[in-house]
Amino acid sequence: MNEEHGIGKNIADMTVLITGASRGIGADTALRFAAVGMNVVIHYRNSLEAANEVARRCLEVGGKAYTVAADLRSKEQILRMKERLDHYGLHPDILVNNAGISHYGLLSDVAEEEWDDVMNVNLKSVFMCSQLFMPYMIRQRFGRIINVSSVWGISGGSCETVYSAAKGGVNAFTKALAKELAPSGVTVNAVAPGAVRTEMMERFDEGELKQLEEEIPAGRLASPQEISSLIYFLALPESGYITGQIISPNGGWIT
């Protein structure tokens, strides 16, 4: 099955690695893949209890779930994560680079350490994970790399200059790597959501959220499920002709 797309296994037999999957978009994406019976690797940094809860829910819906810890700012820890997966025979066919941290504040107040931290988590980790896991995809002539970006990586956000720069880098990385890997049957795309109801929105009070919703033509924030459904679609073997795209589900906020 799926021979025309360069791979002979069903999606249920594939393995997906989702970084930052202990909550929010990452957690819902894990459940989305688990529902079709996939091997789902749930990466987390500190939230072991939350990651185990996501794994439990993945098992409930019929998937096979594994948890793995790593600080994605550290190449050494990413290498150890890969070694652990290799030990269990888990070679990701699909990589979802979802882990990220937000940053809000005037650029004039940003310390160099803050800049480095945002860049390392949001951009450098995408480079390191992609570089490490794509050789297996290239060898089998099938793979999916899906980077979770942001609408601010497209348009830029006031008081979110550092975050916008990191996500803009993710978008450029996505377009360039897509061209590099296309001859090998590996697609690279980015999902750049607008405002989504996740923990990243907790700094807004209800009044600010209401004002934000009024700015969005759809009149509301997205749910994590609406983002994970797009990630899942891009991972399908049938989506093999979609590559190098930055797709922004944002309710018409930015067009």
Side-chain angles (χ1 to χ4, degrees):
M1 188 174 180
N2 298 326
E3 294 286 357
E4 64 182 292
H5 304 290
I7 191 168
K9 54 183 166 181
N10 295 311
I11 193 165
D13 299 321
M14 294 183 193
T15 297
V16 57
L17 167 61
I18 306 161
T19 67
S22 64
R23 61 185 187 275
I25 293 170
D28 203 79
T29 300
L31 290 169
R32 181 81 59 173
F33 284 110
V36 296
M38 289 181 62
N39 297 310
V40 180
V41 180
I42 299 156
H43 160 268
Y44 67 98
R45 185 175 69 175
N46 297 316
S47 308
L48 172 60
E49 187 175 336
N52 283 339
E53 173 61 19
V54 176
R56 184 189 66 77
R57 292 168 63 197
C58 285
L59 293 172
E60 284 181 351
V61 298
K64 297 173 282 292
Y66 310 84
T67 59
V68 62
D71 184 339
L72 298 185
R73 296 170 295 189
S74 165
K75 185 173 183 178
E76 181 182 345
Q77 290 200 30
I78 295 173
L79 284 167
R80 284 208 300 266
M81 175 174 70
K82 184 180 184 299
E83 288 170 2
R84 183 179 174 191
L85 297 182
D86 288 344
H87 177 74
Y88 290 105
L90 295 168
H91 307 293
D93 305 281
I94 302 159
L95 169 63
V96 181
N97 285 309
N98 169 73
I101 57 174
S102 61
H103 181 277
Y104 188 82
L106 294 170
L107 184 66
S108 57
D109 297 331
V110 175
E112 183 180 0
E113 293 76 15
E114 290 178 292
W115 171 276
D116 289 343
D117 201 39
V118 173
M119 289 296 168
N120 286 339
V121 176
N122 290 325
L123 179 56
K124 189 177 180 181
S125 72
V126 173
F127 149 63
M128 291 193 292
C129 288
S130 298
Q131 186 184 57
L132 199 59
F133 290 104
M134 71 186 194
Y136 173 77
M137 302 179 191
I138 293 169
R139 285 196 301 273
Q140 71 172 1
R141 298 194 62 77
F142 175 89
R144 301 284 183 262
I145 297 174
I146 303 163
N147 302 319
V148 178
S149 180
S150 166
V151 68
W152 296 143
I154 299 171
S155 68
S158 176
C159 294
E160 298 197 55
T161 302
V162 182
Y163 181 78
S164 298
K167 292 302 188 179
V170 168
N171 293 349
F173 177 92
T174 298
K175 292 179 179 181
L177 186 60
K179 293 179 178 179
E180 191 172 318
L181 297 186
S184 301
V186 179
T187 67
V188 188
N189 292 289
V191 174
V196 185
R197 284 200 174 272
T198 65
E199 290 180 15
M200 277 195 176
M201 302 301 293
E202 287 181 349
R203 62 182 173 83
F204 294 96
D205 61 33
E206 282 304 313
E208 290 170 326
L209 287 173
K210 188 174 187 304
Q211 183 178 1
L212 180 60
E213 288 173 345
E214 290 172 355
E215 295 176 12
I216 300 169
R220 62 179 178 83
L221 275 60
S223 69
Q225 293 82 3
E226 289 174 301
I227 310 306
S228 68
S229 64
L230 176 55
I231 293 171
Y232 176 76
F233 171 75
L234 292 171
L236 292 171
E238 294 81 2
S239 297
Y241 205 60
I242 303 171
T243 195
Q245 302 305 303
I246 315 300
I247 304 173
S248 182
N250 61 59
W253 192 18
I254 302 294
T255 58

